[in-house]
Amino acid sequence: MHTKPSVMELTVPGNIKLVSALGEMAELFVKNIIKNDSKIQDLAFKINLVLTEAASNAIFYGCKSNNEQVKIKIEMNNNTINIEVTDKGGGLELSDIQKPDPFDERGRGLYIIKQFMDSVDYHQNPDGECIFTMKKYITTNSQII
Amino acid sequence: MKLNNYMEGKTKIIEVDTVRIDASNSGEFKEKMSELTKSQDAIIDFKHLEFIDSSGLSALVYLHKQSINDKTELRLANLSPKILDIIRTTGLTQILQIYPDIESAKKDM
């Protein structure tokens, strides 16, 4: 049965203090859309984590000031969660993300995203905006409401 | 961010009284914790913590390296299964000293 996708879209200032609220909101969104499955708690937590990582990257590297904005879009349908994070462009290199040396103090954010999501992509649109996309397939017996 | 701390013998026990460490507060966590654990054997009690991101993990790596330089012990206790999963995924179980609770962390300190 085809279900209309549920979508959450937000445009927020490039202020790092907002990442906690963005992550928590994404977790609540997933928890409230998918019902009847205990595994959803873990999935929703991971969506919180990957969105926190992606939004932090967008704010740190894609915003020169608090006046610049970051756009977040989460779309859920029967079997996938798609997340887009758009910024003014800082540039990311996704092709060579290795497991970080445990003593390194940086470089775990994209690695965490790659581990917990099924696919990750990054491209620039004609307006020069950088769009980071992540996809997670929902493989549980979940029910979208 | 509140970090309650007290001494048990020569060991400082630090209770992290926040549910979330991410890029919005990891700098403050690192700075305050660095002062509290400088040249000091310590156990960090994470019983209230429900979320940590890569910037929080980076702070833990920094504190771990500081303890190596200072030749002190830094032990982490009461981490939730979700947070342990993130730590395992990033390979940090290889270096961080993780204990299930404060009692086991206090042994041999």
Side-chain angles (χ1 to χ4, degrees), chain A residues 76-105:
Chain A
M76 292 175 62
N77 60 32
N78 278 338
N79 50 23
T80 53
I81 302 175
N82 291 299
I83 302 175
E84 276 184 16
V85 179
T86 306
D87 62 58
K88 290 291 177 195
L92 283 176
E93 183 49 67
L94 295 178
S95 59
D96 189 32
I97 297 171
Q98 304 289 331
K99 190 167 191 171
D101 181 304
F103 284 95
D104 275 353
E105 286 173 44

Side-chain angles (χ1 to χ4, degrees), chain B residues 43-101:
Chain B
I43 299 169
I44 308 177
D45 185 350
F46 285 108
K47 68 182 172 192
H48 299 296
L49 194 70
E50 295 171 6
F51 182 97
I52 193 163
D53 77 346
S54 61
S55 69
L57 296 179
S58 295
L60 293 180
V61 171
Y62 173 87
L63 296 168
H64 176 73
K65 284 157 69 174
Q66 176 180 277
S67 75
I68 293 173
N69 287 337
D70 292 350
K71 296 186 172 53
T72 56
E73 284 284 323
L74 180 67
R75 298 180 177 183
L76 317 181
N78 287 326
L79 290 156
S80 75
K82 283 177 181 170
I83 290 173
L84 280 172
D85 183 33
I86 302 169
I87 290 176
R88 266 190 217 105
T89 300
T90 50
L92 290 178
T93 41
Q94 290 173 49
I95 63 164
L96 300 177
Q97 294 193 55
I98 296 168
Y99 292 80
D101 49 46

Side-chain angles (χ1 to χ4, degrees), chain A residues 16-34:
Chain A
I16 200 64
K17 292 288 176 199
L18 294 174
V19 293
S20 316
L22 292 172
E24 294 293 326
M25 216 179 292
E27 180 168 348
L28 278 174
F29 178 69
V30 173
K31 273 183 186 168
N32 284 292
I33 295 296
I34 306 179

